[in-house]
Amino acid sequence: MISDLLKKARVYEADKEKTIDDSERPVFHLTPRVGWMNDPNGFSLYEGKIHQFYQYYPYKTEWGPMHWGHAVSDDYVKWDYLPAAIAPDESYDNFGCFSGSAVETRDGKQMLVYTGVKTEEKDGEEIIRQTQCLAFGDGYDYEKFAENPAIDASFLPEGWSPVDFRDPKVWFDEKDDCYYMVVGDRTDDGSGATLLFQSESGTEWKFVTVLDRCRNEYGKMWECPDFFELDGKHVIFTSPQFMQARTLEFHNGNGNIMVMGSYDRETHTFTREVIYAIDHGLDFYAMQTLKASDGRRIMTAWMQSWESSKAVPEGQKWFGQMILPRELNIRDGRLYQKPVKEIESYREGHLSYREVDLNGSTTLPGVNGKVCDMEIEITPNGREYGEFRIEFHADDRFHTDFIYKPSEGKAIFDRTYSGFPNDINPKREFMVRYNEGKLKLRVLLDRFSAEIFINDGETTCTSTIYAPVDAQEIRFSSSGSVLMNLEYWKIKVR
Ligand code: FRU
């Protein structure tokens, strides 16, 4: 049975008058069908398709009572919209269906696991409760579980928050033949933790353990956790609120971290070894991964930060984008990220420049536009150089800059001149491992963003950009002589 609220959303988003033309959207980054999008939800495989649900408010380009939008793909690049999956239509989720995940059940259904947020008035005060709820479906229509919520605050350790208890990430574990789920909560010290729950049936859950805790060291609430094995390590991905800047690794506000360690499956003990940021750009949050059928661990994320979520040019018809999904690996204790290989089949118009002797500023014939994929290699030509810089989404007035300063072992991303109507902090500096002045870049530009992969994806920098459509130039410069190799392709999806 489809509720009136869900029907309303489905009718609204399918209305021809509301349709947003492809020419007004990014080319290869998923945006909401209409209205507002935040976190990726239910990024998973089901019946041969890649499913991507998302936090969704169809009626405005602002956050509102959360629904789940829905899209499917065969290759992580080209997406087709399906009707909204769930709406906040029950007493236990009347304030919103917050973030969550999806898994295929033993009996072939698609199970959505989400946070139901409930508000009610008690003695003149508004009380908020967050619980974990289920919905079952066929990849298109979903029915909420009759016994929702499946997990409420009574499952939590004494003194932990029933208000900040959210964002379940579920998976099926073949070895243990059961379902697991990690959920974020705010603990008795006021900061976050990642909790593990287990279920034989998928509907009856029990609390297992606390995998790791923030202890007020890395922000406060830890939102949107994920937990998985990667190349012999175990990692927690989570998005802390209220981070405080530390060295060049962490910035203020909503951050993204990877907690890497080891995991004893028998006792469910996670032992932390190291924590660092996953992406060093300005817009990257709420990561979620899936395991592809060929074994790749693939991550998506909201290509946005809450801090700049109001900085949108007037008249834009949609709000919120996902990153192009990335393949993840760990080598020598570091996370490596690269764009899904499927993007390569959308490349066309290949141009190749070898050993361009760069000293000062230049453009290269044919190397321009807002939607492209570039592989760049820089080597010092004889002596050390001061800096190497690329400016893109550029014209006389606008430019977005990526700058590398080898002597400082540091990179800078600067979108001061990228068309934002308000953006208090348009710059980010971060460390890049020194490699004798050599630098390798993969740069993916889309109409409203740049994703930069540095030194084979050892460091990444992701940000939205709102320079006008005709800011199409790409400029290269260096102070001191460098040799540049460049491979360039346009990306065409539809
Ligand atoms: C993260 C988040 C989640 C929550 C959702 C609400 O961006 O705050 O913790 O479930 O957004 O839309």
Side-chain angles (χ1 to χ4, degrees), residues 172-279:
F172 184 75
D173 188 298
E174 305 270 339
K175 277 193 205 140
D176 295 354
D177 192 28
C178 69
Y179 302 88
Y180 285 102
M181 173 197 299
V182 281
V183 189
D185 190 57
R186 199 149 161 164
T187 69
D188 45 5
D189 67 11
S191 71
T194 304
L195 316 186
L196 182 70
F197 292 84
Q198 185 185 33
S199 171
E200 300 297 326
S201 61
T203 52
E204 283 168 27
W205 290 84
K206 65 175 193 227
F207 172 74
V208 181
T209 193
V210 179
L211 288 174
D212 203 359
R213 301 181 58 156
C214 170
R215 295 196 176 79
N216 283 302
E217 287 173 336
Y218 296 90
K220 292 288 178 184
M221 173 66 185
W222 279 7
E223 298 191 315
C224 304
D226 198 349
F227 181 58
F228 52 92
E229 188 182 351
L230 188 62
D231 297 325
K233 289 285 172 195
H234 262 82
V235 295
I236 297 171
F237 279 12
T238 188
S239 299
Q241 293 179 300
F242 311 114
M243 292 280 283
Q244 303 230 325
R246 211 185 299 170
T247 64
L248 292 183
E249 187 63 10
F250 303 113
H251 62 90
N252 291 324
N254 286 56
N256 56 78
I257 60 171
M258 151 158 153
V259 188
M260 185 164 59
S262 60
Y263 181 57
D264 181 333
R265 288 180 62 98
E266 299 303 313
T267 61
H268 299 294
T269 312
F270 175 76
T271 309
R272 181 199 297 185
E273 289 161 10
V274 62
I275 297 195
Y276 51 79
I278 295 174
D279 190 276

Side-chain angles (χ1 to χ4, degrees), residues 421-440:
N422 49 21
D423 189 19
I424 290 173
N425 180 12
K427 259 194 205 179
R428 182 91 194 262
E429 290 188 5
F430 51 95
M431 303 306 290
V432 168
R433 197 148 35 157
Y434 181 72
N435 182 21
E436 291 164 354
K438 289 188 202 146
L439 178 71
K440 240 174 131 177

Side-chain angles (χ1 to χ4, degrees), residues 36-41 55-56 63-68 96-100 115 117 130 164-168 221-225 239 241 254 285-286 302 306:
W36 163 282
M37 160 198 273
N38 59 288
D39 315 350
N41 297 154
Q55 288 285 278
Y56 184 37
W63 193 87
M66 281 289 110
H67 297 54
W68 276 31
C97 299
F98 275 23
S99 283
T115 298
V117 185
Q130 300 192 337
D164 285 313
F165 178 34
R166 59 179 174 270
D167 308 337
M221 173 66 185
W222 279 7
E223 298 191 315
C224 304
S239 299
Q241 293 179 300
N254 286 56
Y285 200 65
W302 189 34
W306 281 107

Side-chain angles (χ1 to χ4, degrees), residues 453-468:
F453 298 78
I454 302 156
N455 295 338
D456 298 309
E458 184 180 86
T459 310
T460 63
C461 172
T462 303
S463 295
T464 56
I465 291 165
Y466 288 112

Side-chain angles (χ1 to χ4, degrees), residues 282-303:
L282 294 164
D283 292 304
F284 191 88
Y285 200 65
M287 309 69 68
Q288 199 169 73
T289 70
L290 61 74
K291 193 161 181 191
S293 35
D294 59 8
R296 284 178 298 166
R297 178 60 65 170
I298 302 201
M299 170 180 71
T300 187
W302 189 34
M303 188 160 64

